[in-house]
Amino acid sequence: MSIKDIGDGWLNFLMTKFFNKDLPIERKRAVEERFNICIDCDNLKMFKTKYSSAKLRFCGVCKCSFPGMIFSKGKKCPVGKWGPMNSEYKS
């Protein structure tokens, strides 16, 4: 995953969550599908920092942070459960 993919993912996440920006419908569906796949995946890990009660999630395989990774157009699942947006998904 490139720096561009990381920036794209987090920018889109922040724009939808904090600035009420809507994603195009196809992208929104892809994000929802990715979310549902990741949330049930055994590779999604969670940890708590000693400085906060917040629980942070990340992929145990590629180490990308969740949910930022599901908002990136170019990101693909490291175990092949979903691909880059605008490509066919392996659900």
Side-chain angles (χ1 to χ4, degrees), residues 66-80:
F66 180 86
M69 66 189 200
I70 65 172
F71 282 83
S72 174
K73 289 189 293 187
K75 173 73 175 146
K76 62 182 179 179
C77 173
V79 295

Side-chain angles (χ1 to χ4, degrees), residues 9 12 16 21 27-28 30 33 43 45 47 62 67 69 74:
N12 285 302
T16 59
K21 288 282 202 175
R27 196 162 182 185
K28 187 175 182 178
E33 180 180 347
N43 293 313
K45 306 298 180 194
F47 74 95
C62 69
M69 66 189 200

Side-chain angles (χ1 to χ4, degrees), residues 57-69:
R57 294 184 222 174
F58 66 97
C59 174
V61 177
C62 69
K63 309 300 186 228
C64 288
S65 57
F66 180 86
M69 66 189 200

Side-chain angles (χ1 to χ4, degrees), residues 28-41 44 66 70 81-82 91:
K28 187 175 182 178
R29 283 188 194 130
V31 167
E32 289 170 356
E33 180 180 347
R34 289 175 171 194
F35 177 88
N36 290 329
I37 291 168
C38 289
I39 209 73
D40 290 333
C41 182
L44 187 63
F66 180 86
I70 65 172
K81 293 184 178 184
W82 45 265
S91 294

